[in-house]
Amino acid sequence: MNTVRLLLGDQLNPLHPWFDRIDPDVLYVFMEIRQETDYVLHHAQKILAIFAGMRELARRLRADGHHVHYIAIDDPDNRQNLTGNLEAVIAKAGAPCFEWQAPDEYRLDHQLDQWFKQSGFAGGKTSSRHFLANRFEAGNLFSGKKQWRMENFYRNMRRKHGVLLEPDGSPVGGQWNFDAENRKPWRGQPPEPVDRRPHHDHSLLWQTICQAGVQSFGNDTCADFRWPLHRDEALDLLASFIRDALPHFGDYQDAMSTSAPRLFHSLLSFALNVKMLNPREVIAAAETAWRNGHVPLAAAEGFIRQILGWREYIRGVYWAHMPGYENSNVLEHQLPLPDWFWTGNTKMRCLAESIGNSLEHAHAHHIQRLMVIGNFALLAGLDPQALHRWYLGVYIDAFEWVELPNTLGMSQFADGGLLASKPYAASAAYMHRMGDYCRGCRYKREQRTGPEACPYNALYWDFHLRHAERLSVNPRIGMVYRNLAAMDTAEIDRIRQHAAGLRARLDGL
Ligand code: FAD
């Protein structure tokens, strides 16, 4: 062999130019290692989905005639770390050259760069050909700016990639953003689309993973596993999303419902993040659906904004601020996560549903992640680094480049407002407006204090009181501080006391 090429668990793109021709001098290496299963405690489905996807791509490459070396989690020769295995494989193959696709996580990128530098091998790093913007594009655009507004980045990307544009370069429909039309609550109609994800039986693989001693949490249903195994299944999922759900995506993007955990979201994040799908084809499919008259512009634009805008922008924030960003905690929040983050057993119905969905499916939609779970963590003052580890472990689509800025920046305001112009903080009134969680909840959404009051209410006001010095100067939340100024001091005392009591017994809420 002349060259060993590494494929990581989130590099499952069978269309990468590497595979354009079969080269008998190239050996492709996949490895299932404890280094990657154990850096945080992971949801069972996340481990299964990645290992199953790696095994499937290895099988297909072999079937096409490529040379593949696959190190399974229970292989006696598995050294369980990336570079240890690489050294063994390269030595055995006698290859002078090593190549790898740029990892998306700083952790792995740094590890491979350092190791390669001292290895003396020929070869080097190549692009994964996945993203539309390079790692430093957002950083360059916002260079010297205190706040990095996604909207500016997004418009730039629309222009640069010719997405949803008139021939003269102006946005179709006369405006860049239809966000204001994306905020309807869902009252049961139109019906939630049928879940058309594939079914797989991964029982044997799960047995192997457990016998190898890998720890995990969450629902480990493996006999009827619902995440895609390969690109063809991901393409089917994309087609059914465009046909059945995209027409309503815009309207109900911010809605929440106990009877519809998925609503009109795409469930494509796993397939995108492990690169079974390319963001360009997903964007093109949504734009075509609008140009063919199948979906309203607000739906197509709202969806494309998530992928061409948020997803690429978040990655830019990550690369511009790593290493170091992972330690952000400007609000100095330190409380440990309550036990019910691992069980869903809380009396707050919105959290029981959202955490319950996360544990059950390794997925929760954006508003559950941001406005229910993240919002509670922010208001209560939970340790953002512990929260980051939870988010990184629990979601099927969680890889640090995308999870970290969403959790620390968008959700926890831990970077002091680089990413979000104000904290995503809301009381029970928001929860009630956007969903049906409050109905049948043990807590009363109208009450601020007292044994039955919804904890979000006192925590919401108390959060703004505790952080008044930093936040009261922010004009976007002036109304909150005007409301606080109009409250009598006895009420403020009651709020503070009640919130302190809640924060002292989070496990019991
Ligand atoms: P849809 O609602 O159908 O959206 C379509 C696609 O847009 C998604 O598949 C995703 O690729 C992209 N997208 C949407 N919002 C974002 C965003 N804020 N950042 C980046 N991409 C976005 N997304 C992840 O992919 N991995 C994570 O680890 C992750 N962690 C998050 C943590 C927090 C605290 C928050 C608030 C959001 C997080 N998100 C993460 C973003 C978003 O919640 C998920 O991408 C989305 O819920 C995935 O479900 P879906 O595919 O049905 O998305």
Side-chain angles (χ1 to χ4, degrees), residues 156-173:
N156 230 38
M157 293 292 279
R158 288 265 297 272
R159 284 193 201 97
K160 184 167 167 190
H161 296 279
V163 176
L164 294 178
L165 292 185
E166 298 290 0
D168 68 358
S170 62
V172 295

Side-chain angles (χ1 to χ4, degrees), residues 46 227 241 249 253 262 264-273 279 282 302-315 363-371 373-375 387 390-393 395-412 419 424:
K46 185 176 173 194
W227 296 101
F241 165 71
F249 178 89
Q253 201 175 326
R262 174 235 171 130
F264 301 94
H265 294 276
S266 68
L267 303 179
L268 287 172
S269 50
F270 170 72
L272 273 165
N273 292 355
V282 178
F303 180 70
I304 287 171
R305 190 179 343 123
Q306 307 311 311
I307 297 182
L308 183 65
W310 280 108
R311 187 169 185 267
E312 298 280 337
Y313 159 84
I314 284 283
R315 176 168 176 266
H363 185 272
H365 64 67
H366 187 65
I367 296 304
Q368 291 174 314
R369 296 188 203 196
L370 184 66
M371 298 312 295
I373 307 171
N375 180 22
L387 189 73
W390 184 83
Y391 274 101
L392 187 55
Y395 292 118
I396 196 84
D397 50 38
F399 298 91
E400 196 187 73
W401 65 269
V402 53
E403 176 279 330
L404 190 72
N406 268 302
T407 304
L408 294 191
M410 187 189 300
S411 161
Q412 298 303 295
L419 200 150
Y424 280 93

Side-chain angles (χ1 to χ4, degrees), residues 87-212:
E87 273 156 23
V89 172
I90 292 172
K92 195 156 170 224
C97 180
F98 171 66
E99 294 176 354
W100 72 105
Q101 295 179 23
D104 293 326
E105 297 195 341
Y106 179 84
R107 184 177 60 83
L108 288 169
D109 192 55
H110 184 68
Q111 184 186 12
L112 282 168
D113 280 352
Q114 295 303 106
W115 174 78
F116 181 73
K117 217 185 286 171
Q118 53 76 45
S119 72
F121 295 127
K125 182 159 65 179
T126 187
S127 166
S128 65
R129 308 281 184 103
H130 179 76
F131 293 96
L132 287 99
N134 73 43
R135 281 181 182 176
F136 301 104
E137 212 162 310
N140 293 338
L141 178 74
F142 294 113
S143 165
K145 301 253 163 43
K146 218 168 129 212
Q147 292 190 326
W148 293 25
R149 291 290 151 258
M150 197 291 287
E151 186 63 25
N152 301 348
F153 174 82
Y154 168 57
R155 291 182 189 186
N156 230 38
M157 293 292 279
R158 288 265 297 272
R159 284 193 201 97
K160 184 167 167 190
H161 296 279
V163 176
L164 294 178
L165 292 185
E166 298 290 0
D168 68 358
S170 62
V172 295
Q175 63 193 74
W176 290 100
N177 187 315
F178 292 83
D179 201 18
E181 293 176 36
N182 299 157
R183 294 184 191 139
K184 291 191 187 137
W186 182 71
R187 306 283 183 224
Q189 287 298 328
E192 188 187 40
V194 176
D195 184 351
R196 297 197 188 278
R197 286 178 299 160
H199 296 267
H200 291 287
D201 185 350
H202 290 326
S203 307
L204 280 178
L205 174 56
W206 187 234
Q207 216 177 324
T208 307
I209 293 170
C210 293
Q211 279 167 359

Side-chain angles (χ1 to χ4, degrees), residues 234-265:
L235 284 170
D236 287 346
L237 194 57
L238 171 62
S240 63
F241 165 71
I242 299 276
R243 187 183 62 233
D244 305 333
L246 182 61
H248 310 293
F249 178 89
D251 283 350
Y252 304 109
Q253 201 175 326
D254 285 3
M256 303 182 269
S257 169
T258 46
S259 56
R262 174 235 171 130
L263 282 164
F264 301 94
H265 294 276

Side-chain angles (χ1 to χ4, degrees), residues 438-457:
C438 302
R439 218 178 300 147
C441 180
R442 177 209 178 282
Y443 293 107
K444 303 273 183 290
R445 66 179 168 80
E446 311 86 350
Q447 295 179 13
R448 264 192 212 144
T449 53
E452 301 213 307
C454 171
Y456 278 86
N457 290 336

